[in-house]
Amino acid sequence: EGNMNKITSVPYTDIAVVFSRMTRDWSVKNTANYPKEIMGTGQLLTSKHIPHTFILDDAIAEQDISRFRVLLAPGMDCISD
């Protein structure tokens, strides 16, 4: 059969970790810790063999997020409408 086709394949996961650029740029309390919280969440899910993906908060409105059963937003302090 060979390897997976990189052009036509689509990711399979129903868990998304939301990365907030606004929190990264504007949160006073999370200035140093926010990237660590995101990476730590990803590392935890990976270590438990739980498929997941990362999405950007400012792209949520443009994406169909209905395929996700779980949205994790670790340390997110700032979010827009």
Side-chain angles (χ1 to χ4, degrees):
E1 298 248 341
N3 292 328
M4 167 178 61
N5 185 326
K6 293 187 279 186
I7 296 171
T8 60
S9 64
V10 293
Y12 171 76
T13 183
D14 58 358
I15 299 174
V17 180
V18 181
F19 179 83
S20 170
R21 293 182 203 196
M22 290 186 72
T23 297
R24 179 197 62 195
D25 296 342
W26 297 103
S27 175
V28 175
K29 81 174 192 185
N30 267 336
T31 303
N33 293 329
Y34 186 64
K36 294 175 187 174
E37 291 176 0
I38 294 293
M39 295 308 294
T41 301
Q43 288 174 345
L44 172 70
L45 294 170
T46 298
S47 72
K48 300 296 181 185
H49 305 284
I50 299 173
H52 61 283
T53 191
F54 291 90
I55 59 175
L56 299 173
D57 65 337
D58 53 1
I60 288 176
E62 301 162 8
Q63 295 179 7
D64 177 17
I65 60 170
S66 65
R67 70 182 179 111
F68 299 114
R69 290 182 5 176
V70 177
L71 289 176
L72 298 173
M76 184 182 286
D77 289 340
C78 306
I79 191 164
S80 65
D81 294 341

